[in-house]
Amino acid sequence: YGLGVDGWTFLDADRTWVVTGWAGLSHVRGSQARMLSLQQNSQHYFQRPDADRFRLDSTATSLTGYAGRVFVNKQKGNWTFNSAFGLVSPSFDVNDVGLQFRSDAVNTHVVTGYRWTTPGKIARRAQTNVAVHRTWDFDGNTTWTGLFNNGWMTWRNYFASGYWFAFNPETVNNRRTRGGPLTLNPSSIETGAWIESDDRKAVTYGAEAFFSRGEQESRSSWSLGLNVSWRPSASMTLRFSPSFDRSRTGAQYLTAVSDPLATGTFGRRYVFGDLQQTTFAGSVRLNWIFTPKLSLEVFAQPLIASGDYRAFKELARPKAYEFAVYGEGTSTLTPDPDGYVVDPDGAGPAGTFRIDQPNFNFKSLRGNAVLRWEYLPGSTLFLVWTQTRSDFENVGDFRFGRSLSRLLDAKADNIFAVKISYWWNP
């Protein structure tokens, strides 16, 4: 069951300042087994061993929670302002009737900026913003905080460009171990920029770049995206948008292994790997209006992604970003055709366990074409063709040519659909 209410009101006669907000309640009932599973899913993680405000209850047959958020916004003038405060209780759950990203969060932010709306010698219009934000869990741990700045400008020649920058200080992570103890998020920076050409032209183009880096070699990434559009006439547009991304995650979760000897991490070994990931993605889109009653839309999206895992390790202690790397010291890491065999203390009393081969190379292609014909006023016929194909390998190498060849050779799933509507207008 879910209950929600929202509303807004102006704070002044000029209607410059407005307050908006919403609040909600949720109540879920079910068997003990179902509720136990619900408490342990990725929205809740009630099994966390170092949580204070909640505990896993194997006898529970219901879960009740609350959530809400209030905003203050300035709607007029060159100076802009927005602030909000919200929370989602640990037991709030509306996944059966909607979409919920997570629970157990208290969040606030303040954003202010300035916009230039009068054309000048350099720019036609521009805006810049600065923001501060912070998120806690219900135990009071700061799980995300930072400073953010962005801006954009439309130049005299109708080109547009923008930038963003973010600094995130050290915080606590209550999700990395998938229901295990807290870990640390080292501080990080993110920055990016984009540019777009004059969108009044028949041919337009743009580019976007992104870079991020975390302390303690926790993460790093960069990406580059391009787009080109061709509009030969008012009735036809063709757009191509490729992108390339390289990233490294210093502690990508793999599994958790029960071991009463792992007393420092509450009787379980939380296993991670250093993930090197490469991704190529693209999209091709065609919109063609033959007549006001007949049009064609075509879309295709290829994707090639590879992940190479290295430096397998386990969390050394809670609320830290420290790991014991397998194969160093007394521990051993033995590869085999299907993965790895780990002995966390060599000749010591701890037992061995397996890590299945985590490397991957995934390729997919999704495409569809929709022909729309309005055969009578208000009555429409749609002819739809959708094709999907994919391929997976347990290898971490990124080989564009080989991956593209395997993708084109993969078995395709084709779906054809017809939809017809008729409008009665007495």
Side-chain angles (χ1 to χ4, degrees):
Y1 299 91
L3 172 67
V5 60
D6 61 43
W8 54 267
T9 184
F10 291 106
L11 298 179
D12 59 339
D14 293 334
R15 298 190 173 186
T16 299
W17 293 88
V18 63
V19 175
T20 65
W22 63 268
L25 293 173
S26 70
H27 179 74
V28 183
R29 290 205 305 259
S31 67
Q32 291 183 359
R34 180 67 186 93
M35 299 311 301
L36 183 63
S37 174
L38 183 66
Q39 293 175 73
Q40 296 179 88
N41 70 17
S42 59
Q43 277 75 34
H44 303 289
Y45 287 142
F46 275 20
Q47 69 271 36
R48 264 184 45 214
D50 51 0
D52 294 329
R53 294 298 182 94
F54 50 80
R55 286 287 183 271
L56 188 65
D57 184 358
S58 60
T59 65
T61 56
S62 66
L63 196 67
T64 302
Y66 57 90
R69 194 164 181 84
V70 61
F71 303 82
V72 178
N73 191 63
K74 182 175 181 287
Q75 300 193 129
K76 298 179 182 179
N78 294 92
W79 283 101
T80 62
F81 179 87
N82 175 270
S83 182
F85 176 82
L87 50 81
V88 182
S89 74
S91 54
F92 185 76
D93 193 292
V94 292
N95 265 331
D96 286 341
V97 293
L99 176 64
Q100 180 181 344
F101 175 67
R102 63 167 299 172
S103 60
D104 188 22
V106 180
N107 171 268
T108 186
H109 75 256
V110 177
V111 185
T112 187
Y114 190 84
R115 53 192 174 198
W116 292 265
T117 57
T118 302
K121 294 182 179 180
I122 299 177
R124 296 183 176 275
R125 56 186 181 273
Q127 183 168 340
T128 185
N129 305 289
V130 62
V132 291
H133 62 87
R134 176 163 291 191
T135 301
W136 306 264
D137 63 17
F138 272 61
D139 285 340
N141 300 300
T142 300
T143 58
W144 190 31
T145 187
L147 174 68
F148 179 80
N149 172 239
N150 75 333
W152 59 268
M153 178 182 294
T154 301
W155 301 83
R156 291 287 298 179
N157 62 356
Y158 289 96
F159 275 56
S161 61
Y163 73 93
W164 67 94
F165 173 82
F167 170 66
N168 302 305
E170 185 179 273
T171 54
V172 168
N173 191 310
N174 58 12
R175 290 295 187 267
R176 181 178 283 122
T177 55
R178 310 298 196 269
L182 300 170
T183 61
L184 201 66
N185 281 328
S187 61
S188 64
I189 60 169
E190 302 175 13
T191 187
W194 58 270
I195 186 169
E196 295 283 347
S197 68
D198 184 354
D199 61 7
R200 303 173 303 166
K201 304 294 186 180
V203 176
T204 62
Y205 50 88
E208 181 177 9
F210 171 81
F211 171 80
S212 71
R213 178 181 177 275
E215 293 296 320
Q216 298 180 236
E217 299 184 347
S218 58
R219 67 184 179 99
S220 63
S221 67
W222 64 268
S223 65
L224 177 65
L226 305 172
N227 67 80
V228 179
S229 295
W230 177 44
R231 191 170 59 243
S233 67
S235 61
M236 180 180 177
T237 302
L238 178 64
R239 183 178 178 88
F240 177 51
S241 307
S243 65
F244 186 80
D245 176 89
R246 292 291 301 271
S247 65
R248 174 185 173 273
T249 303
Q252 178 63 47
Y253 178 84
L254 289 172
T255 188
V257 180
S258 296
D259 187 345
L261 298 176
T263 56
T265 50
F266 303 94
R268 293 175 71 85
R269 299 185 184 276
Y270 295 91
V271 183
F272 297 84
D274 186 325
L275 172 60
Q276 315 275 345
Q277 186 167 335
T278 305
T279 304
F280 169 82
S283 66
V284 179
R285 187 182 297 273
L286 170 68
N287 293 329
W288 196 346
I289 302 174
F290 303 107
T291 71
K293 297 182 178 181
L294 184 65
S295 64
L296 174 67
E297 295 183 17
V298 179
F299 174 77
Q301 184 180 55
L303 170 72
I304 300 174
S306 68
D308 183 16
Y309 282 86
R310 309 170 185 176
F312 299 99
K313 50 201 172 184
E314 66 178 58
L315 181 67
R317 62 185 180 88
K319 215 168 185 179
Y321 193 81
E322 298 175 11
F323 303 89
V325 180
Y326 298 139
E328 297 181 359
T330 60
S331 67
T332 62
L333 179 70
T334 306
D336 66 24
D338 298 319
Y340 302 86
V341 177
V342 177
D343 190 330
D345 61 356
T352 62
F353 61 89
R354 287 188 50 80
I355 301 175
D356 293 333
Q357 178 58 258
N359 292 343
F360 64 87
N361 189 298
F362 176 75
K363 292 82 70 176
S364 74
L365 176 64
R366 298 184 302 161
N368 62 65
V370 180
L371 182 69
R372 176 187 179 275
W373 175 38
E374 188 176 356
Y375 59 93
L376 290 173
S379 302
T380 311
L381 172 69
F382 294 92
L383 302 178
V384 183
W385 170 42
T386 299
Q387 183 185 103
T388 60
R389 60 178 70 200
S390 63
D391 181 76
F392 179 84
E393 298 175 272
N394 276 121
V395 296
D397 297 336
F398 182 86
R399 300 177 184 176
F400 183 82
R402 181 176 183 275
S403 295
L404 185 61
S405 176
R406 286 183 62 95
L407 178 60
L408 295 177
D409 290 339
K411 181 180 179 298
D413 292 325
N414 293 286
I415 299 174
F416 297 91
V418 178
K419 176 184 176 181
I420 187 169
S421 66
Y422 182 80
W423 182 36
W424 277 271
N425 184 25

